[in-house]
Amino acid sequence: MKHSDPQAAQASRTLKLLSANIQAGSSTRRYSDYATRSWSHVLPAGKRTALDAIAMLAGTHDIVGLQEADPGSWRSGFTNQTHYLAERGGFEYWTHQPNRRVGAVASSANGLLSRLEPIEVVNHALPGRISGRGVLLSRFGEGDEGLVVAVAHLSLGAQSRLSQLSFIAEVLADHPHAVLMGDFNCTSDRPEMSVLYRQTGLQPPACAVHTFPSWRPQRAIDHILVTGNLKCADMKALPAAFSDHLALSTELQVPGAALRR
């Protein structure tokens, strides 16, 4: 009688990943809304419905990276939105990285929701002309081969992005199984992005998936980048309720060694 090889069964695993700039649950459906609906960015009204829709989308994935999740201020009704989405989406593990606070009115954070338990979570502040940006790093496997997932929201200015990407490249340089996801505020072929491709194993995406603005996507500025030892499939954009960004979803093939604990 043949016995199954448990190591062979653990040879690889497919994980569904999602990256979403949720705009703190606010609604933006046209450019004019930035002015006419500016109240929605500072008042809590209507955000719970949007968060519930985002939780339904997130709940179909294994690891979710969030940007612009309010960690608990006036505009979110003092709700930690990452925690709320974890509960509504059925995620056992969650963590967040508050980055920017405007008094008690508004605050912003990177967040991570996961069905896998991270063995380590590290918060890094990113350099830039204006403080308040960060990268949230989670590790899911032991040793140098372990899977590392980083979530970031980069600056609007190219020079600040270059310094931020240089910092991230240094952090991820020695990780052969790495994912960097988030709102980069630039396309993958911008000159400042080359520092990632030169200094890490992260690869440019095979195709550009337009995510912004959500009502008429024309720019691919949200990305899920992976190292060459990982394989992505079925990369697609999906509505994140009424955020001004579409969410980005993909299936990731991860070697068993990268998840070994």
Side-chain angles (χ1 to χ4, degrees):
M1 181 176 179
K2 279 190 173 182
H3 295 280
S4 61
D5 183 350
Q7 288 191 333
Q10 295 288 324
S12 66
R13 180 172 175 180
T14 300
L15 300 175
K16 287 193 69 177
L17 270 57
L18 184 77
S19 179
N21 180 328
I22 66 170
Q23 205 184 14
S26 297
S27 173
T28 305
R29 308 186 202 188
R30 58 189 68 84
Y31 279 114
S32 60
D33 282 355
Y34 288 115
T36 60
R37 292 183 56 84
S38 58
W39 57 267
S40 74
H41 296 276
V42 295
L43 293 179
K47 292 185 172 59
R48 192 62 58 91
T49 300
L51 290 176
D52 287 344
I54 294 165
M56 287 185 64
L57 172 62
T60 62
H61 293 77
D62 299 299
I63 298 176
V64 178
L66 303 172
Q67 305 92 52
E68 291 194 31
D70 196 298
S73 67
W74 171 261
R75 70 170 172 176
S76 67
F78 300 100
T79 296
N80 184 318
Q81 292 180 337
T82 304
H83 185 203
Y84 181 87
L85 290 173
E87 289 192 326
R88 297 290 288 181
F91 291 90
E92 187 173 356
Y93 306 104
W94 69 276
T95 186
H96 74 146
Q97 179 192 35
N99 292 315
R100 184 173 296 174
R101 179 174 291 277
V102 183
V105 175
S107 190
S108 190
N110 294 324
L112 185 93
L113 315 175
S114 180
R115 305 200 183 283
L116 287 68
E117 181 179 10
I119 61 174
E120 182 182 34
V121 175
V122 181
N123 295 330
H124 293 287
L126 288 176
R129 294 174 63 183
I130 301 174
S131 62
R133 303 280 182 176
V135 58
L136 173 60
L137 199 77
S138 299
R139 191 157 58 92
F140 292 91
E142 291 284 2
D144 295 338
E145 295 291 312
L147 174 67
V148 172
V149 177
V151 181
H153 186 183
L154 304 184
S155 292
L156 292 169
Q159 196 59 42
S160 289
R161 281 198 304 271
L162 176 59
S163 62
Q164 292 163 1
L165 289 164
S166 298
F167 179 92
I168 293 171
E170 186 175 342
V171 170
L172 296 180
D174 297 327
H175 295 285
H177 299 111
V179 177
L180 174 61
M181 66 168 95
D183 176 0
F184 287 51
N185 271 312
C186 70
T187 56
S188 61
D189 58 354
R190 284 283 304 175
E192 61 267 27
M193 290 288 288
S194 63
V195 69
L196 281 179
Y197 312 139
R198 288 197 314 268
Q199 298 182 19
T200 75
L202 293 168
Q203 306 290 309
C207 60
V209 179
H210 293 177
T211 56
F212 184 86
S214 57
W215 56 90
R216 191 180 296 169
Q218 297 174 324
R219 299 184 64 206
I221 62 173
D222 298 271
H223 306 293
I224 300 177
L225 304 180
V226 306
T227 52
N229 293 333
L230 302 171
K231 293 180 181 176
C232 274
D234 197 26
M235 186 84 73
K236 58 189 175 185
L238 301 167
F242 300 119
S243 171
D244 56 351
H245 288 249
L246 295 176
L248 199 58
S249 171
T250 192
E251 292 184 357
L252 186 70
Q253 196 76 22
V254 184
L259 297 174
R260 194 161 295 135
R261 304 175 72 84

